[in-house]
Amino acid sequence: MSSPQYVLVTGATGFIGAHVVDVLLSRGLRVRGATRSPAKGEAMRNARPQYKDRLDFVQIRDFAQPGELSEAVAGGIDAVIHVASPFTYDTTDNEKELIIPAINGVKAVLSAAASSGSVKRVVVTSSFASVLDADRKDRANGVYFTYTGADWNPLTYEESADKATSAVIAYRGSKKFAEKAAWDFVAENKPSFDLVTLCPPMTFGPVAHPVAKTADLNESNAMLWKVASGEKPLPVARVPFWIDVRDLALAHVEALLHPEAGGQRYIPASPERFSYGKAAQIVVDHFEWAHGSVVPEDQPVDESHGVDGETAAKALGLQYKTFEQTVTDLVKQAKAMP
Ligand SMILES: NC(=O)c1ccc[n+]([C@@H]2O[C@H](COP(=O)([O-])OP(=O)(O)OC[C@H]3O[C@@H](n4cnc5c(N)ncnc54)[C@H](OP(=O)(O)O)[C@@H]3O)[C@@H](O)[C@H]2O)c1
């Protein structure tokens, strides 16, 4: 596989996508970001004047409209990092807002990449949500186990799309079925590109995309900001695994550049477990303004199972940041926002 030169990044104006864009640009690659909002694309370019000649944006209003995607992969695009997917728990219709757009997005991006003939690799941002088995028997039996890239969430489509289910379960389904659609597409169509999927857990850290105020922080960072703002009671983590966004961005770019990553499903994840109680302690230890308002709690951290972040670290050359660094870097940045 020759090294990519010009990479299409979907979700480029989002929390993870913007960091991916920055790592690609810092490596000398050309980047085309995809967004539904040209204004957000322009804001990203204006914030990176030194890269204006290597960063352009295309508008994709709706992944269900194939025309715009064909244009997005034209003009020499030789690799794609597909990050875009709805990630919010603020929904009224889970299937329409979370599940269908996630699946349509993957199918449309892969099918445009296959038609282009020039794309050699596609990296898809999946999620630990597509790995997690919340009812795994080992746990009930008290047997320690470690999640690896071979594990899949057993949710059925019907369970995740059920009107009575929560947005959290529907989001887990959206990521599982979108990622499955990607692997199925490659198996059925044997396109000219190979596929790598990344299944990160909760992702935190400083933002590189345009965020005007703390109320606009992405879903995962908004949880840390609640802690730093002194919200009580502290939120409780559903899963104790996490990764710093800068490590995850690097994982995306290395997954694109390492020829041997083709066909792999990785879980980039820090070996350190987190809780919002730990986050509160870090905030109090580092920021005097938080004394009095933020009250650390000794929250129990689930030690009944682990996650294999080591395979991704070895293959992609990652050195995971500490939770302390991630929390302090985000909180310092968010505190300066209106
Ligand atoms: N943050 C986490 O903790 C975490 C953990 C694991 C996996 N992930 C995955 O990482 C990816 C990015 O998450 P993020 O935290 O960076 O979220 P984000 O800040 O909300 O960014 C997602 C981007 O995707 C685009 N998007 C959202 N809904 C869309 C839709 N219906 N159609 C087309 N584009 C849409 C948006 O771009 P435009 O508005 O510019 O179109 C948005 O900037 C998602 O696939 C998510 O599932 C996130």
Side-chain angles (χ1 to χ4, degrees):
M1 190 185 96
S2 55
S3 201
Q5 308 285 317
Y6 193 6
V7 185
L8 174 71
V9 180
T10 71
T13 67
F15 170 49
I16 295 169
H19 280 278
V20 170
V21 167
D22 285 343
V23 177
L24 290 167
L25 289 170
S26 73
R27 298 285 182 93
L29 280 85
R30 270 181 85 191
V31 178
R32 176 177 289 166
T35 175
R36 290 167 298 181
S37 148
K40 280 206 238 171
E42 215 28 49
M44 283 275 296
R45 287 190 81 230
N46 289 338
R48 292 158 179 75
Q50 72 279 33
Y51 290 130
K52 269 194 167 167
D53 57 335
R54 282 199 282 118
L55 176 61
D56 65 289
F57 272 84
V58 283
Q59 184 181 22
I60 299 178
R61 272 166 287 216
D62 183 355
F63 285 123
Q65 303 293 326
E68 289 177 330
L69 260 168
S70 309
E71 275 176 40
V73 292
I77 294 290
D78 49 12
V80 178
I81 302 185
H82 178 49
V83 185
S85 204
F87 180 26
T88 172
Y89 297 138
D90 182 15
T91 56
T92 47
D93 183 334
N94 291 331
E95 188 176 20
K96 214 163 113 196
E97 292 165 57
L98 292 175
I99 304 173
I100 293 174
I103 298 171
N104 280 349
V106 162
K107 284 185 175 168
V109 167
L110 267 60
S111 131
S115 310
S116 83
S118 55
V119 174
K120 300 286 177 291
R121 173 157 295 172
V122 177
V123 177
V124 170
T125 317
S126 184
S127 168
F128 184 69
S130 78
V131 173
L132 170 87
D133 176 356
D135 299 318
R136 190 154 155 162
K137 285 201 183 64
D138 297 333
R139 193 192 321 226
N141 297 339
V143 176
Y144 187 90
F145 63 95
T146 302
Y147 284 110
T148 72
D151 291 310
W152 281 90
N153 176 342
L155 266 182
T156 64
Y157 188 93
E158 291 67 33
E159 282 166 340
S160 53
D162 189 328
K163 293 255 181 281
T165 200
S166 66
V168 171
I169 302 295
Y171 172 72
R172 289 179 184 167
S174 81
K175 297 307 289 182
K176 171 188 175 174
F177 291 104
E179 191 193 345
K180 276 255 179 246
W183 288 115
D184 289 350
F185 182 94
V186 170
E188 284 158 23
N189 297 282
K190 314 225 167 352
S192 56
F193 58 80
D194 58 14
L195 176 69
V196 187
T197 63
L198 300 179
C199 301
M202 281 300 264
T203 305
F204 301 115
V207 300
H209 63 301
V211 179
K213 50 189 189 308
T214 50
D216 297 339
L217 279 170
N218 61 292
E219 193 73 38
S220 48
N221 274 335
M223 299 295 282
L224 280 188
W225 183 244
K226 278 183 189 177
V227 173
S229 313
E231 190 173 292
K232 294 181 195 66
L234 288 179
V236 176
R238 293 185 189 92
V239 171
F241 309 126
W242 71 283
I243 183 171
D244 183 284
V245 68
R246 295 160 289 190
D247 295 338
L248 181 56
L250 200 61
H252 280 79
V253 175
E254 297 301 345
L256 192 76
L257 301 180
H258 281 52
E260 61 281 10
Q264 299 297 319
R265 181 175 190 245
Y266 293 116
I267 308 179
S270 161
E272 190 185 353
R273 281 159 222 258
F274 90 97
S275 72
Y276 292 108
K278 276 191 189 178
Q281 187 63 57
I282 293 167
V283 172
V284 167
D285 289 347
H286 287 265
F287 302 104
E288 224 176 290
W289 51 257
H291 293 181
S293 58
V294 178
V295 182
E297 265 174 42
D298 201 6
Q299 290 183 327
V301 177
D302 192 346
E303 303 272 354
S304 66
H305 59 286
V307 65
D308 168 28
E310 204 38 43
T311 300
K314 277 204 186 110
L316 306 174
L318 311 173
Q319 282 187 309
Y320 297 117
K321 291 191 171 40
T322 61
F323 192 54
E324 185 173 27
Q325 184 176 349
T326 303
V327 172
T328 49
D329 288 350
L330 169 73
V331 171
K332 206 181 294 164
Q333 186 190 32
K335 181 68 182 166
M337 289 178 189

